[in-house]
Amino acid sequence: MHPATRPAGKTAVHARSASLPHEHSHPILTHLDDCIHKLRSWSAGAAGHASGIALLDAVLASLADLLALPQAVAALQEAAAFDEILDRFLVLADAYGTFQSAIITLKPIVAELQIGTRRGDSVMVTTLFHAHRRAEKELCRLAATMRHATRCTLAVSRTLDATDNEVIGILAEVAAATAEASEAIFLESAAMSPALVPAIVQTSNKWLARLSVRPAAKKAAPEKAMVTLERLQKLEERINGLETGSEKVFRRLLQSRVSLLNIHTPF
């Protein structure tokens, strides 16, 4: 399995560092600044992907409030590098669409693992384990995509420092903070199995031992099977929480991009 290693601290996206200027700022800017700070603090080392998704949702909700301000709309209509920022939000939305698909794939696998554990069906559990590993690899690939997205946003931000357009800089900062947090969320999601059982395994037989399922379709000891089932049920709950949270983030990312497109091409 892949450890849920958090991304290393990133350089701030804009010359303003991780903070937005507070002098004469609108209250929405102050709130967005606070949300970004909390999200970045979580990305730097706090635990729990569920809280990470909630913090990310709060950032995007605050961004939606910003994009509704006439002052922000006017500033963005004159902003340089607008197309590049649009592309960043498209990459983020695509990543969460794929993330949702991976989570949806995991749900029936975990449900069937519970059935296989109750039956002591080693063949069934082995097959499901391989399916789980494929989903895990997809999540790790998504994490790498987010790492690349952060680098791309930093590259765009270097062209923004000379434009002195606060709002487009804020958008770049939101995109980078979102990519950073998403890398951590995807890595933690890929590493949910080590939370299920303590040992990391390399072979099917070891995997069966982790799940307390004996080969040759012999049932595990009832008490061990019960412990495994409880762990699987907790994993199922975590997956359900991820599905709900990621759907909210996905919708907010889509809405952010729609708002930006409307600003860019007003009727």
Side-chain angles (χ1 to χ4, degrees):
M1 297 293 179
H2 303 269
T5 304
R6 290 200 175 273
K10 306 291 194 302
T11 304
V13 169
H14 200 254
R16 295 172 291 100
S17 179
S19 298
L20 308 177
H22 289 282
E23 297 85 353
H24 311 297
S25 285
H26 193 283
I28 288 177
L29 283 178
T30 303
H31 178 63
L32 179 55
D33 181 29
D34 183 58
C35 289
I36 291 172
H37 176 73
K38 289 178 180 177
L39 181 62
R40 280 210 161 111
S41 295
W42 177 87
S43 298
H49 52 246
S51 59
I53 282 188
L55 291 169
L56 178 52
D57 182 62
V59 167
L60 296 173
S62 185
L63 176 63
D65 292 337
L66 174 65
L67 295 178
L69 290 177
Q71 303 97 306
V73 172
L76 288 173
Q77 287 173 341
E78 301 175 356
F82 196 98
D83 289 339
E84 288 86 344
I85 295 300
L86 271 176
D87 289 343
R88 295 302 93 213
F89 278 89
L90 177 60
V91 169
L92 293 169
D94 283 347
Y96 272 88
T98 304
F99 181 58
Q100 280 188 292
S101 298
I103 292 299
I104 290 171
T105 299
L106 282 174
K107 287 183 68 175
I109 293 175
V110 173
E112 291 177 26
L113 273 172
Q114 294 180 62
I115 295 173
T117 301
R118 291 189 185 97
R119 294 176 178 173
D121 190 334
S122 61
V123 175
M124 181 180 185
V125 170
T126 302
T127 301
L128 291 167
F129 168 66
H130 290 306
H132 184 279
R133 286 299 299 272
R134 287 193 295 271
E136 178 191 85
K137 288 179 181 178
E138 178 64 16
L139 291 171
C140 290
R141 186 191 67 79
L142 280 174
T145 299
M146 291 297 93
R147 193 175 307 119
H148 178 70
T150 301
R151 289 197 295 266
C152 289
T153 306
L154 289 171
V156 171
S157 73
R158 285 191 286 270
T159 70
L160 298 178
D161 291 339
T163 68
D164 198 29
N165 188 316
E166 182 182 23
V167 179
I168 199 71
I170 293 168
L171 287 175
E173 191 159 8
V174 168
T178 298
E180 289 171 12
S182 298
E183 180 186 350
I185 289 167
F186 297 163
L187 284 173
E188 284 199 351
S189 300
M192 285 190 293
S193 287
L196 170 63
V197 280
I200 296 177
V201 300
Q202 301 297 326
T203 67
S204 297
N205 286 338
K206 290 181 180 179
W207 168 249
L208 295 176
R210 287 174 70 196
L211 287 181
S212 302
V213 177
R214 297 173 182 174
K218 293 181 180 179
K219 291 188 177 181
E223 63 277 8
K224 291 184 178 180
M226 185 61 67
V227 170
T228 300
L229 287 170
E230 288 176 358
R231 290 171 175 170
L232 285 167
Q233 287 165 1
K234 289 181 180 179
L235 177 59
E236 189 173 43
E237 291 172 2
R238 293 177 70 186
I239 290 173
N240 288 336
L242 277 173
E243 183 182 20
T244 300
S246 63
E247 182 178 1
K248 290 180 180 179
V249 169
F250 178 59
R251 290 182 180 278
R252 289 204 188 276
L253 286 168
L254 287 180
Q255 186 56 53
S256 295
R257 193 164 191 276
V258 169
S259 297
L260 291 171
L261 284 170
N262 289 339
I263 292 170
H264 194 42
T265 55
F267 292 104

